[in-house]
């Protein structure tokens, strides 16, 4: 179970051990003669775009190793994916729904799986995906926990989800680089009080200012998060009518439209992308300069993932949130998160936070102190009884990119440089 901040390079962290493991085991005998394929590794991700991105990365990492990587996700023609699978597969990257389909058609068997990775593991195990994941991992022909290596990765890991996840693991290590659920201090976070009715004009001001300050009067890539699919379409239309080339990505668009939107955004053709949470996790889009939370999410972990679309791989980024009376429950966790990442918290937000009930706000975390987030087995509520669990961790006082580790307290039972331990 591994936790590290957004943009810190978790994809490589689970791909490399899988690829090197497979290079050693590639020649193991797999059943022949049927149309069923027997991958050795399975990587599951919550969105089609993310699974596609992992596929591209894993293919790069396995260049000239002979390791075959195939992707399967919904919304795209299954026949093409079946043909790819028939050519051979060592690592299958998939979204849960399409994988269940392939398993039920008996075109994929999990019998030979040696490595199982769940990217965005907390999302994969929350209410939406848990039944599908249980089916894939526990009710098909996947070898049991001790017979395969299971890796769960995310930038956030609420305690309840850790507890669920432990069903899929045996003797596991909890590895935290920095604090669980913290945001990187490479991102400058700003919170502005904006009434619902003023949001559009406020966004327009931001975008105008961005063009004025930008390079050659060009719009910097800006990702705008909204709450609903309808809201995304309406805002895109409004932006377009006001002379800002924008596009949208959300669950009501066809896969083709989603992919087109992403390409158009990446290339700068439409430098504003209005998105729902479907784009909140994992997407690694170079040069996103600004993330705007037009509508704030209810959960602070979702905020962490959203702003994490900028400030990646050692680069800096800007995140602006529009806060108003509808977001009161977020005041406290947001203040704590910002303080922890050495951000300036506006006095008015501090006041709202101190008025909020202890532990207030819709959060998957239990307890009021978000930085209690850590290996749940360290909590008194966990009975160790028969468990063989053991702990490991990385005490990281600086990031992988040499940035001084203001917000990085070390994920283990001690800390240096005067930083507070994640266990505190
Ligand atoms: N050692 C490295 N040096 C430089 N760049 C790196 C290194 N490792 C990864 N990267 C780059 O950093 C970027 C972010 O990596 P990645 O998408 O794996 O982050 P992540 O931790 O999975 O983030 P998220 O939590 O948002 O999913 C990628 O563009 C990747 O190519």
């Amino acid at each position: 179970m591994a936790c590290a901040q957004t943009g810190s390079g978790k994809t490589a962290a689970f791909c490399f051990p899988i690829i090197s493991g497979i290079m050693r085991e590639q020649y193991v005998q797999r059943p022949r003669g049927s149309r069923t394929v027997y991958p050795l590794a399975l990587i599951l991700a919550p969105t089609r775009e993310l699974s596609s991105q992992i596929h591209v990365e894993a293919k790069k990492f396995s260049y000239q190793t002979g390791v075959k990587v195939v992707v399967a996700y919904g919304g795209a023609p299954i026949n093409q994916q079946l043909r790819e699978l028939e050519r051979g597969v060592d690592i299958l990257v998939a979204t849960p729904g399409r994988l269940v389909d392939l398993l039920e058609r008996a075109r994929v068997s999990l019998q030979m799986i040696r490595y199982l990775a769940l990217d965005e593991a907390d999302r994969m195990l929350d209410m939406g995906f848990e039944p599908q994941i249980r089916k894939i991992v526990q009710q098909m022909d996947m070898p049991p926990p001790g017979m395969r290596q299971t890796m769960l990765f995310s930038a956030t890991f609420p305690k309840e989800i850790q507890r669920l996840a432990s069903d899929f693991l045996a003797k596991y290590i909890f590895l935290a680089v920095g604090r669980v659920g913290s945001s990187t201090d490479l991102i400058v976070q700003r919170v502005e009080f904006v009434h619902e009715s003023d949001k559009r004009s406020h966004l327009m001001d931001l975008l105008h200012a961005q063009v004025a300050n930008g390079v050659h009067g060009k719009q910097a890539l800006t990702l705008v998060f909204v709450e609903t699919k309808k809201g995304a379409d309406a805002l895109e239309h409004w932006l377009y009518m006001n002379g800002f080339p924008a596009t949208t990505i959300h669950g009501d668009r066809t896969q083709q439209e989603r992919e087109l939107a992403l390409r158009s955004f990446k290339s700068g053709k439409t430098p504003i992308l209005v998105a729902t949470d479907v784009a909140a996790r994992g997407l690694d889009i170079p040069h996103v300069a600004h993330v705007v939370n037009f509508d704030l999410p209810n959960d602070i972990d979702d905020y962490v993932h959203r702003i994490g679309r900028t400030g990646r791989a050692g680069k800096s980024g800007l995140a602006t949130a529009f806060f108003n009376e509808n977001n009161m429950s977020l005041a406290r966790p947001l203040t704590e998160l910002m303080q922890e990442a050495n951000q300036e918290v506006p006095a008015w937000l501090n006041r709202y936070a101190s008025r909020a009930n202890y532990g207030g706000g819709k959060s998957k975390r239990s307890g009021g102190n978000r930085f209690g987030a850590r290996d749940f087995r360290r909590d008194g509520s966990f009975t160790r009884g028969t468990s063989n669990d053991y702990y490991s961790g990385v005490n990281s006082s600086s990031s992988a990119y040499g940035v001084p580790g203001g917000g990085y307290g070390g994920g283990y039972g001690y800390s240096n440089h005067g930083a507070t331990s994640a266990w505190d």
Side-chain angles (χ1 to χ4, degrees), residues 165-176:
S166 59
D167 287 357
F168 303 116
L169 301 158
K171 291 190 190 170
Y172 69 94
I173 295 168
F174 183 87
L175 184 68

Side-chain angles (χ1 to χ4, degrees), residues 4-12 53 57 119-120 154-155 281-284 305 308-309 312-313 401:
Q5 289 170 332
T6 53
S8 58
K10 294 185 287 296
T11 315
Q53 178 184 300
E57 291 294 292
D119 195 15
E120 307 299 341
S154 183
R281 284 177 177 255
L283 294 188
D284 185 56
H305 287 281
R309 296 317 97 212
R312 302 178 68 75
Y401 306 101

Side-chain angles (χ1 to χ4, degrees), residues 328-333 336 351-361 367-368:
M328 288 307 171
S329 64
L330 207 64
R332 193 182 184 113
E336 288 174 356
R351 277 197 298 277
Y352 284 129
S354 58
R355 268 186 248 155
N357 291 333
Y358 191 69

Side-chain angles (χ1 to χ4, degrees), residues 233-248:
D233 284 336
L235 185 60
E236 178 219 23
H237 182 70
W238 183 84
L239 284 168
Y240 193 79
M241 297 310 281
N242 283 280
F244 289 104
T247 184
T248 58

